[in-house]
Amino acid sequence: MTQNVLDEAAARTLLADLSAQLERAIEPAARLILVGIRRRGDAIAAEIGRHLEPSRGPVPIGSLDITLYRDDFGQVGALPVVGTTEIPESIQDAHVVIVDDVLHTGRTIRAALNELSDFGRARCIQLCVLVDRGGRQLPIQPDYVGRVIDLGPDQDVAVRVADTDGAWGVDVVDVNGSAPEEEA
């Protein structure tokens, strides 16, 4: 069973709200670079960059493929698919914001931090997520959050982005057949 939490309009509003959070918090003079985690974090980063462009000018947008940095890399399979990482310019002394769709255990962000460190030493690294679903296994917390969603053990969050899925949205998905709980 799937429960829609954010439709297209609500998801776009949330992206605008996240962009406004960054705009208020990050000094205008800071050299800002947004780095999205593939597959959906990079689309969210690009959308945030579009929102920030009128006030900041073009914001460099990069993307990370963390496959080789995962702590379960050996368990993924014999031939994991490794994508490309693209960092548009040096992160040395930049204000970098890592962008992802859903924050859960923190392990993806740990992998992203490890990979990003291969590209230099940023002045500051922050984390922006569209959805925080809780359940941390590592001491990692987001600086910018679009929405907090509390889930049961048999539920997951599915974020849809326009470029990949045809539309923006967020759904709670029942992974074992029980109905999702109503959101408070």
Side-chain angles (χ1 to χ4, degrees):
M1 180 185 253
T2 300
Q3 174 188 5
N4 182 258
V5 178
L6 297 173
D7 62 11
E8 173 93 17
R12 287 190 175 279
T13 298
L14 195 58
L15 288 162
D17 292 346
L18 268 175
S19 303
Q21 286 181 44
L22 270 75
E23 183 65 36
R24 286 189 303 272
I26 300 172
E27 294 182 23
R31 190 167 63 86
L32 176 62
I33 300 174
L34 300 175
V35 179
I37 298 175
R38 287 199 191 269
R39 276 192 8 150
R40 288 175 171 77
D42 50 356
I44 295 167
E47 187 67 18
I48 290 171
R50 282 191 282 280
H51 282 278
L52 295 175
E53 189 168 349
S55 60
R56 290 188 170 267
V59 176
I61 312 288
S63 62
L64 290 173
D65 181 298
I66 60 150
T67 304
L68 292 174
Y69 292 82
R70 293 173 52 116
D71 61 4
D72 63 350
F73 181 75
Q75 301 166 10
V76 173
L79 295 172
V81 177
V82 178
T84 58
T85 289
E86 300 167 9
I87 305 297
E89 60 184 59
S90 171
I91 67 166
Q92 195 69 31
D93 293 323
H95 188 126
V96 177
V97 177
I98 296 173
V99 181
D100 204 8
D101 59 347
V102 178
L103 177 58
H104 183 212
T105 64
R107 293 183 181 280
T108 296
I109 304 308
R110 186 221 34 94
L113 288 166
N114 286 352
E115 182 174 5
L116 200 56
S117 70
D118 288 348
F119 290 91
R121 184 175 179 164
R123 176 174 303 280
C124 173
I125 299 175
Q126 293 185 308
L127 176 60
C128 174
V129 296
L130 189 66
V131 175
D132 181 351
R133 63 159 290 171
R136 230 63 90 234
Q137 296 173 355
L138 299 174
I140 292 175
Q141 298 300 320
D143 299 285
Y144 311 100
V145 179
R147 180 96 178 251
V148 175
I149 299 176
D150 294 319
L151 299 178
D154 294 333
Q155 295 177 314
D156 204 355
V157 175
V159 172
R160 290 176 278 118
V161 300
D163 295 346
T164 304
D165 307 302
W168 290 97
V170 176
D171 300 316
V172 171
V173 179
D174 175 26
V175 293
N176 286 332
S178 62
E181 296 177 16
E182 286 296 315
E183 191 173 353

